[in-house]
Amino acid sequence: MWGFDLTSLGNSAAKAGGSFISDYFKAKNDRAWQKYRNAMVQISRSQNENAITLNENMAMERSAASAYNIKLSEYKTKAKAQVAAAAAGIEGGSVNQVMFQLDTNAARAQSNRKADLDAQLLGFQNAKMSNDFQAMQTMDYATIPSPSPLLAMLGFASDLWNTDEDTKQL
């Protein structure tokens, strides 16, 4: 016959039930913390992305202002050169050569401005990609298992079996 009493049966049932309930709430708490940490990672990623985008927009705005200033300077310089040539009574090839040189200088300045902007935009794109990769690596994708009532019952049965074996040895 079974060599255990109701006390050991009650202790085993309480132990198995308490363990299951404890594991259930621990898993629930772990999932909540995981969700919170992942939300904080996403918020941080979004804030970084906003800062990068703001810097990107400011760089494009500076570049547009620079393009305007280069074109304005080109017009003013050409106008001054034409007025000076007309006042001196100079015309022909030498004036055309000066105008060509002014066009070349303005085109070179615009080309340098565009190259600088392209390099900055590429840097911002790389920063955004790096920010996304960092967020993906920081996210917690672990599966948090739920406790199994079946395993709790097996633990209960195992405790009963061990209690029975201990009783037989006495």
Side-chain angles (χ1 to χ4, degrees):
M1 187 77 191
W2 292 88
F4 57 86
D5 57 11
L6 290 178
T7 306
S8 63
L9 178 67
N11 286 343
S12 293
K15 180 180 173 186
S19 176
F20 173 76
I21 291 170
S22 171
D23 289 347
Y24 170 80
F25 284 112
K26 182 183 181 319
K28 186 176 178 181
N29 188 42
D30 288 349
R31 278 191 214 92
W33 274 110
Q34 182 184 42
K35 185 176 179 181
Y36 171 79
R37 286 190 306 268
N38 287 344
M40 292 298 108
V41 167
Q42 288 294 356
I43 288 171
S44 176
R45 186 198 66 76
S46 296
Q47 287 175 333
N48 290 340
E49 180 106 8
N50 288 343
I52 294 167
T53 301
L54 179 64
N55 290 337
E56 185 177 24
N57 290 339
M58 288 188 322
M60 287 189 291
E61 187 178 322
R62 281 190 307 271
S63 180
S66 179
Y68 172 78
N69 289 333
I70 291 169
K71 202 65 168 162
L72 182 63
S73 176
E74 177 188 8
Y75 290 145
K76 285 181 179 180
T77 306
K78 278 183 165 183
K80 287 179 186 178
Q82 288 173 343
V83 167
I90 302 171
E91 56 184 60
S94 60
V95 174
N96 289 340
Q97 190 172 359
V98 168
M99 292 301 136
F100 177 76
Q101 190 64 38
L102 292 174
D103 285 339
T104 303
N105 290 343
R108 186 177 298 121
Q110 290 288 10
S111 177
N112 289 341
R113 176 197 60 82
K114 288 178 185 176
D116 288 344
L117 178 62
D118 288 344
Q120 286 179 345
L121 294 178
L122 182 61
F124 291 131
Q125 183 181 7
N126 288 338
K128 285 180 180 181
M129 202 173 356
S130 175
N131 183 45
D132 288 342
F133 286 147
Q134 183 180 4
M136 285 189 295
Q137 289 176 339
T138 306
M139 294 287 286
D140 184 2
Y141 297 106
T143 302
I144 299 171
S146 297
S148 170
L150 180 62
L151 289 177
M153 287 189 285
L154 284 174
F156 172 68
S158 174
D159 282 350
L160 284 179
W161 181 264
N162 289 337
T163 302
D164 185 46
E165 291 296 318
D166 291 342
T167 308
K168 286 181 182 177
Q169 288 178 0
L170 295 177

